[in-house]
Amino acid sequence: MNSTLSAVLNAFTIQDLITIGISLLLMILARPFSKWLNSEDDLTSRVSMMRMLNFLIIVAVLASVFVLHESAWLSRLTQSLIVIYFATLVTHVINYFVRRRFGKTRITSTGTSISDTYSSRGLSLAVAAFISVIALVTCLRILGLNSLLEAGGALGIIGLFLAMTQGSWAPDIISGLIILNSRLCEEGDVVQFNMDGTQIVASVFKTKLFHTECLDLANNHRLMVRNTKLRDYGIQNLSRFASAKGLRECMLFNIDYAHSQNEVTEMMLRAFSEIDRVEGMREEQFDPEVLVHDTGDYAVTWAVYYYIKDVKHLLKIKQKFRAHILAESVRSDISLATPVLQMNEVTLSKAAANVTPSM
């Protein structure tokens, strides 16, 4: 037993043992290390990628020892994998310091987080591109493509592939940078936009490289929108108030002409008094405004304006307010149902019916 174990260990060189040992250690530390660098953006995928590279390095070392003894191309492949791994690791480390220096610190209910800004995203892309070029050239030299023609041909193929596919990724990257630079919608903001004919009210979760993740406040699910599409939708940022009063919201009601303006106004004020007593969801120092929005054929459309600052509960606030107004309208005997114009039948006189057309 001891002789067999000794023979196996003697098959490895010191370099092989160091490579396997470091790879195993990095594989174990991949999750805590990646979580420390950035615990928000695709943690699982980053950990899986790091561990996969470590696994491939170990497999390549074992294959070179037990299967293909002293294989030159397998040794070069192992070195290339090591270069790719450390290039990825260095990119994550540099991006960590870039985010800490140029990112925006936000305090949320779950703690303190750092979100990307235009500067941090731009520098991260520049760092990733620079390190990728260095790693690519290093791998080409390790694989034996030393001549300018060979290396240039490999780089040209990669450049051609990027040029042919740039329509799929370049516009989203540029649009993401524009969104971050203009601060059109930042993480935590509540935005409203029309997507395929549907009005969406959502909270911005994260602006990523190719898309923006939002939380749909109506259906409580994640919504992924391409950065290019998001700019085309025409975003209304409800979290950016035009004044210190807050967000000015409006509700519309169709009420019969039989009720005067004083009756409707007093009914709405009584409803909002009850809302302030029970709910306390609006800026109570500013009285609601009850105005005529439209005078239609069947009813008067009344607009009720009020101010809120808790925009994340915008839909819930509207639902509760409408329930209170409905209850008060029933107590006040003022129907919120749109009156229907009655059609009267016209009976033709027998004399007119008996008129014969002239020849």
Side-chain angles (χ1 to χ4, degrees):
M1 181 69 178
N2 292 333
S3 60
T4 304
L5 180 61
S6 177
V8 171
L9 291 176
N10 289 332
F12 291 96
T13 63
I14 298 297
Q15 182 180 356
D16 294 336
L17 293 176
I18 292 175
T19 302
I20 293 175
I22 294 176
S23 297
L24 288 173
L25 180 62
L26 292 174
M27 186 180 293
I28 296 172
L29 297 177
R31 176 168 288 277
F33 188 66
S34 297
K35 188 175 182 179
W36 174 68
L37 291 177
N38 189 351
S39 61
E40 299 177 2
D41 292 341
D42 301 327
L43 176 62
T44 303
S45 61
R46 286 186 287 115
V47 171
S48 299
M49 181 182 64
M50 303 292 279
R51 286 177 174 172
M52 179 58 68
L53 287 172
N54 289 134
F55 177 75
L56 291 176
I57 292 171
I58 294 174
V59 169
V61 172
L62 294 177
S64 65
V65 173
F66 296 107
V67 181
L68 301 174
H69 302 283
E70 298 181 358
S71 173
W73 70 268
L74 192 56
S75 176
R76 292 174 179 176
L77 178 62
T78 305
Q79 294 175 25
S80 299
L81 290 172
I82 293 174
V83 169
I84 293 172
Y85 178 85
F86 280 101
T88 305
L89 184 64
V90 170
T91 301
H92 289 326
V93 172
I94 294 177
N95 286 342
Y96 166 76
F97 290 104
V98 168
R99 282 167 56 88
R100 285 183 62 88
R101 176 63 180 84
F102 298 101
K104 181 179 179 180
T105 303
R106 296 190 307 114
I107 299 177
T108 62
S109 58
T110 57
T112 303
S113 63
I114 301 176
S115 58
D116 275 317
T117 62
Y118 174 78
S119 300
S120 65
R121 177 65 57 80
L123 283 174
S124 297
L125 289 173
V127 167
F130 180 73
I131 294 178
S132 297
V133 171
I134 293 178
L136 180 60
V137 172
T138 304
C139 290
L140 291 177
R141 293 184 64 84
I142 290 174
L143 293 174
L145 302 178
N146 296 320
S147 68
L148 181 63
L149 182 61
E150 291 174 329
L155 292 173
I157 292 174
I158 296 174
L160 180 61
F161 173 77
L162 293 176
M164 292 178 64
T165 59
Q166 58 87 24
S168 300
W169 52 267
D172 291 319
I173 293 178
I174 296 172
S175 295
L177 290 174
I178 292 173
I179 291 173
L180 291 173
N181 183 48
S182 63
R183 300 180 65 187
L184 181 65
C185 55
E186 297 181 329
E187 294 178 17
D189 287 352
V190 176
V191 297
Q192 179 177 302
F193 55 89
N194 289 320
M195 184 174 69
D196 300 328
T198 303
Q199 181 173 285
I200 303 294
V201 178
S203 174
V204 179
F205 178 73
K206 183 81 65 180
T207 301
K208 297 194 174 183
L209 193 62
F210 301 107
H211 64 272
T212 297
E213 288 187 13
C214 301
L215 176 63
D216 192 326
L217 297 182
N219 301 317
N220 196 30
H221 68 270
R222 289 285 178 87
L223 181 69
M224 185 184 74
V225 186
R226 289 182 55 186
N227 291 330
T228 306
K229 288 287 187 182
L230 190 62
R231 291 181 59 216
D232 294 337
Y233 286 146
I235 303 173
Q236 299 180 49
N237 193 328
L238 305 182
S239 297
R240 306 292 175 87
F241 308 137
S243 69
K245 293 182 178 180
L247 178 67
R248 189 170 187 251
E249 271 293 289
C250 174
M251 292 187 295
L252 301 177
F253 298 94
N254 293 328
I255 299 177
D256 197 341
Y257 277 95
H259 301 287
S260 66
Q261 183 172 1
N262 288 336
E263 290 177 326
V264 175
T265 302
E266 290 174 1
M267 184 268 289
M268 291 295 179
L269 292 178
R270 288 194 298 270
F272 272 90
S273 296
E274 183 67 13
I275 288 171
D276 296 339
R277 186 184 69 82
V278 177
E279 306 295 346
M281 290 182 169
R282 72 176 188 93
E283 298 299 302
E284 300 178 12
Q285 65 271 30
F286 306 112
D287 293 332
E289 305 170 51
V290 183
L291 304 172
V292 176
H293 179 76
D294 191 19
T295 52
D297 294 331
Y298 308 108
V300 180
T301 302
W302 295 89
V304 183
Y305 294 93
Y306 55 93
Y307 292 92
I308 63 170
K309 288 187 177 179
D310 187 11
V311 293
K312 287 192 175 181
H313 295 93
L314 171 67
L315 301 177
K316 181 180 179 181
I317 289 172
K318 275 192 172 183
Q319 292 167 353
K320 287 183 174 291
F321 284 13
R322 287 185 185 276
H324 282 284
I325 293 173
L326 175 61
E328 182 59 36
S329 70
V330 173
R331 288 192 293 266
S332 303
D333 197 22
I334 298 178
S335 176
L336 300 183
T338 303
V340 178
L341 185 64
Q342 298 296 325
M343 302 299 295
N344 297 320
E345 295 183 357
V346 179
T347 305
L348 297 176
S349 63
K350 294 181 178 180
N354 293 329
V355 173
T356 57
S358 59
M359 297 301 294

